[in-house]
Amino acid sequence: MKNQFDRNKILTHLDVIQDYVQGGTSSPITVEISLTNVCNHDCPQCSGFRAEGGLNSIISTPDAEKIIKDMSECGVKAVTFTGGGDPSMHPDFDYLIKYSRDLGMDVGLITNGLSLKERHLANLIPACNWIRVSWDAATPELHESVHYNGDLKIKMASPDKFWRVVENTKMLTKYRDQIQAQSTVGCAFLVGSHTKHEILGFAQLASTVGVDYCQYRPFHYTQYDAECESLIRESQEKHQTDKMKVLFSEFKFHSMRDKDFERPYDICHGGHFNCHIGANYNIYVCCHLMNRDFACIGNLKEHSFIDLWRSKRRTETVNSINVHECVPLCRNDSANRLLETMKKQNIQHRNFL
């Protein structure tokens, strides 16, 4: 695999794939969890807390412990703490991250970075395999445009917020290096025609804070812009080093360029290996379908994670999703293409390469 965002990572779980392809059974590999929908940002293109109970949804710490323990006992290999709101808005998010790691699962954290504190580091850095901070800008002006909206823009947006995010990212890398931990720290930038003027500046700024990578990701439903790709490649040439990779989802940009959104599959196979737990305790087929009743597998106040994962309802819910109405280039799309081929092909004499 070229990097941690390689679209063929599902192939590293051939034992699990074989069980699914041959018998239809599946084991959970990754679970995303939104501990809370409270957020100190209000990104205009985020549907997180707006659609799922406003600013009041939160999984209590005792309930989160039980859910995480059930996930571990069910065989979940990794958990990503994400939103929803921002994970750091949960009062015990760093403890719950350490708790997950202590139970043997790999851990990732996606955060806007604003509320990270020095007191969190001792739990976060040793526990997290990776931490990704959403910058989406190289200046306070663009950061405000992408991360604030409505009332919160009036109440909270200010130039120092962006620089605090940058400094908090640097705080993560400095502590990581100080204790010689293996945690990968990166920052991300959402690419669109309205943000392309800071593509070069983003990589240049990222190179000053000690991150392992900076990543360019396209907005969903955006149009391909050849200049954006050209600027990203220029960023790679200028700023990629042995210490910092400059990454982007090349296949997604080229799919947008070629308008290659047609799905050659009718079932979300990837949904049989991951799911998303919302701050309202509901389990959804994936993060893109949060708050959609038809994509809800069940509620964790009523049933355990193990029971819901092994239920007939989960299988039926995943298989009932109309993938042709899902967001283009969704997180499961690449895995779905591979698994569709493996499910359909009856390969004879497979040992003769």
Side-chain angles (χ1 to χ4, degrees), residues 170-189:
K170 189 174 183 178
M171 176 179 69
L172 293 172
T173 61
K174 184 177 179 180
Y175 185 81
R176 185 268 317 275
D177 294 343
Q178 177 183 327
I179 67 170
Q180 298 183 342
Q182 297 302 309
S183 181
T184 298
V185 179
C187 53
F189 183 99

Side-chain angles (χ1 to χ4, degrees), residues 35-39 49-50 52-60 85 90 279-281 301:
L35 293 173
T36 179
N37 278 337
V38 176
C39 195
F49 67 78
R50 293 191 188 92
E52 194 186 334
L55 293 172
N56 300 315
S57 299
I58 187 169
I59 300 177
S60 72
H90 191 287
N280 58 1
Y281 288 74
K301 284 189 174 181

Side-chain angles (χ1 to χ4, degrees), residues 108-144:
L109 169 64
I110 300 173
T111 175
N112 62 39
L114 182 60
S115 293
L116 297 178
K117 301 290 191 297
E118 188 173 354
R119 67 175 184 270
H120 299 141
L121 298 177
N123 281 337
L124 292 185
I125 296 299
C128 286
N129 294 77
W130 57 268
I131 299 172
R132 191 182 80 203
V133 186
S134 300
W135 288 10
D136 305 314
T139 66
E141 291 74 23
L142 181 59
H143 186 258
E144 178 178 316

Side-chain angles (χ1 to χ4, degrees), residues 260-276:
D260 180 20
F261 302 127
E262 189 68 25
R263 287 178 159 95
Y265 53 87
D266 297 315
I267 291 177
C268 182
H269 303 294
H272 288 286
F273 301 98
N274 58 70
C275 62
H276 185 99

